[in-house]
Structure formats: structure tokens, C-alpha cells
Amino acid sequence: MSTRASQYAARVERRDELSAHLVRLTLAVDPALESTGIPDEWVGLVVPGQFQSRYYTVRSYDSGVLVLDVVLHDVGLVTEWVVRGDCVGAAVKITEPKGSFDPPADASWLLLVGDLTGMPAMARICESVDLPTRIWAEVEDALPGYLPDAADVTWLEASSGTSRLAEVVESIEWPDGDGYFWMAGESAQMRAIRKYLMRDRRLPATAYDVMGYWRSSAGRQPRAVDPGPIWLAGKAQGLSDEEIWAQYDEAQYKKAQS
Ligand SMILES: Cc1cc2nc3c(=O)[nH]c(=O)nc-3n(C[C@H](O)[C@H](O)[C@H](O)COP(=O)(O)OP(=O)(O)OC[C@H]3O[C@@H](n4cnc5c(N)ncnc54)[C@H](O)[C@@H]3O)c2cc1C
């Protein structure tokens, strides 16, 4: 394990295409991670030639074998690496798992809402939590067998880069009694839903967990400094990761000054 942000070394053992937009990576992690046991737990993934991590849900973890299901966006740092298809055998870094799903002890039902990026967490929550559960899943392609057969799922068709999950949630018929609402997907949709839950449904913060998992292209700026070439040049010179990070920090500083 590296000392920087508790990173673990891992190797990609398998790459399986689950659908046109979802790729499963199976990784061997050494030394083994300690799972939090929280069903929406995630890790940071740093792919070769990059410093920035992207978060991925632990779809499953057992004895050093970690499974991550990666959504292919139109563009994106991890997306572009996974699309290439030559990632098997690659050495990557993984950060320590963290989780956030925390239903109150007296919750009598569960509502789960997510787009494709939320599917790994919704699948794992369904497998681990024994409460009556309804799911709304917004996906580009059919994913037969991805959620348990018994799950009560409303499938919503997603069209490239747009989400209407906020609108869907505002029309949900809420179950009686106290429960727990969990939702993940595109950040603008999540912001709208947080407002709705607080202002219209007046839910206490303990009754829901709404997480922005990704941001759509609108308004995104290209990265100021691409770490890829710096990493490759540093490796070619035999520099340590810390030395390369220092060079990257300096390049970012210079760019910000210019
Ligand atoms: C707790 C948590 C758990 C998650 N679990 C999963 C999971 O299990 N599976 C999963 O697939 N995702 C998951 N995500 C979401 C994932 O981290 C993001 O989708 C991540 O951004 C994908 O990384 P990427 O490198 O492919 O794309 P990024 O580079 O981060 O790009 C993401 C989006 O930004 C846009 N974009 C990127 N760069 C630019 C640019 N220069 N100009 C314009 N637009 C741009 C792209 O259109 C793309 O839609 C999770 C996120 C969180 C916070």
C-alpha cells in the first residue's frame, strides 16, 4: 500500500462487456482491501498515466478480487482507457473503500433511483438489504439479470447524455410509513431532487441519500494540464511517483500563473 491517500496496487485480470455502455473490470488487489460492508461503498481508481482518480462502486469484493462496473461516457479519462480494450494486465491504483448508504433502523421500505452509474450500487444494495424495495433505473441498454429477479424495477430509457430522473422522482407515489430514499446519477438531476426532498417532501436528512455521481459535458473545461505526458516522461527518466507528482504540481502552478 502506498502512503499517498492510502492507495493499493491492483492489476486488471479481466474485462467483460456487459452492454454497449457498461464494462466489467475484475481486479486483483494486493494487499487485500478491507471492505466497509456498506453496500454502496466505492473506491477511487487511478488508471495508468494519470494522477486523478475516478470513483467506482465496489460491485463485489472477495479475498482480494474486486469487481467494478464502468460506464462508458461519450468522453472521459477512465472511459477512454477502458474503451481501448487493452487494459487487461494493467497496473492501477485503488483507494480505500468508503460508503454512505445508512438507512434509519426503523426504515420499513427502500426506494432506489439511479442511472447507469448507479446500477452497481443499486444491485449490491438489493442483494444485501432485506426491506421491501422499489427501483427506478434509467439505462441506455437492457441489462437482463443485472438486478436480482425478484426486484421491483421500473426501467426508464435513457437517451445519450440526458437524464429525466428528477422529473420521475417528483411523480413517484411515496409509500406509507418511514423508509429510506437512495439516489445517484447526473449531478444536476441530484441537486434538483435534494431541493424537492427538503422543500416539498420535507424529509429529514437521515431519510435520504442523494449523490451526484458524474457531471454531463455542459460547461466542462478541458483539464489545464494533462498529466499523461508528464507521467510517461517521468517514468522514462526513472523518477519516483512522488517526483512525478511534484513535476505535475509545478506544471499546474505554472499554467495557473500564465
Ligand atoms: C460514490 C461514487 C460511485 C460511483 N460509482 C460508479 C460506478 O460504479 N460505475 C460508474 O461507471 N461510475 C460510477 N461513478 C461515476 C464516475 O465516477 C463518473 O462517471 C466518472 O466521472 C467517470 O470517469 P471518466 O473518466 O470516464 O469520465 P470523466 O472524465 O470524469 O467525464 C465524465 C463526464 O464529463 C464529461 N467530460 C469529461 N471531460 C470533458 C471535457 N474536457 N469537456 C467536456 N465534457 C467533459 C463527459 O462527457 C462525461 O460525460 C461513481 C461516482 C461516485 C461519486
Side-chain angles (χ1 to χ4, degrees):
M1 189 175 76
S2 145
T3 49
R4 189 168 161 130
S6 296
Q7 290 189 339
Y8 296 77
R11 198 185 113 93
V12 182
E13 299 289 324
R14 284 181 63 107
R15 177 191 183 279
D16 297 291
E17 289 179 12
L18 303 185
S19 78
H21 294 92
L22 195 62
V23 170
R24 172 161 292 174
L25 297 182
T26 304
L27 302 119
V29 190
D30 186 24
L33 294 173
E34 186 139 347
S35 167
T36 62
I38 302 171
D40 68 347
E41 73 180 340
W42 62 85
V43 291
L45 169 69
V46 184
V47 301
Q50 295 294 340
F51 300 92
Q52 298 176 343
S53 64
R54 294 289 188 267
Y55 293 119
Y56 289 93
T57 304
V58 175
R59 179 63 191 85
S60 67
Y61 181 70
D62 187 24
S63 314
V65 179
L66 172 67
V67 174
L68 308 177
D69 289 346
V70 175
V71 173
L72 306 180
H73 295 280
D74 294 340
V75 287
L77 187 145
V78 171
T79 292
E80 281 151 37
W81 175 71
V82 171
V83 162
R84 288 206 313 261
D86 61 355
C87 57
V88 176
V92 297
K93 300 251 169 65
I94 295 292
T95 62
E96 231 160 349
K98 292 192 172 63
S100 139
F101 179 87
D102 186 19
D106 61 355
S108 59
W109 48 258
L110 209 53
L111 299 183
L112 306 177
V113 184
D115 63 16
L116 193 54
T117 62
M119 289 296 286
M122 295 201 289
R124 193 164 159 210
I125 292 169
C126 276
E127 288 163 7
S128 6
V129 180
D130 192 16
L131 281 176
T133 302
R134 281 208 67 191
I135 301 174
W136 284 262
E138 187 181 59
V139 295
E140 283 79 356
D141 328 289
L143 283 172
Y146 192 86
L147 294 169
D149 286 345
D152 179 358
V153 191
T154 303
W155 294 100
L156 308 160
E157 201 180 320
S159 58
S160 175
T162 59
S163 170
R164 56 183 193 94
L165 281 179
E167 186 191 319
V168 168
V169 170
E170 290 181 19
S171 66
I172 286 177
E173 202 171 315
W174 226 254
D176 292 332
D178 292 330
Y180 190 61
F181 178 89
W182 183 99
M183 178 165 176
E186 201 279 315
S187 295
Q189 301 288 310
M190 302 305 116
R191 272 197 303 279
I193 281 311
R194 268 190 224 105
K195 272 193 203 153
Y196 167 75
L197 298 177
M198 280 190 288
R199 292 183 192 166
D200 296 72
R201 298 217 60 89
R202 299 188 177 279
L203 290 185
T206 49
Y208 64 90
D209 188 9
V210 175
M211 278 170 296
Y213 269 15
W214 64 284
R215 273 189 293 154
S216 80
S217 313
R220 285 278 298 255
Q221 297 296 319
R223 276 173 296 163
V225 177
D226 183 353
I230 297 175
W231 188 84
L232 287 175
K235 282 288 163 198
Q237 291 165 37
L239 300 182
S240 69
D241 281 359
E242 276 69 20
E243 287 167 325
I244 301 175
W245 274 316
Q247 288 196 348
Y248 177 56
D249 290 344
E250 197 180 333
Q252 279 189 309
Y253 176 75
K254 280 191 184 143
K255 180 84 182 185
Q257 299 298 306
S258 62

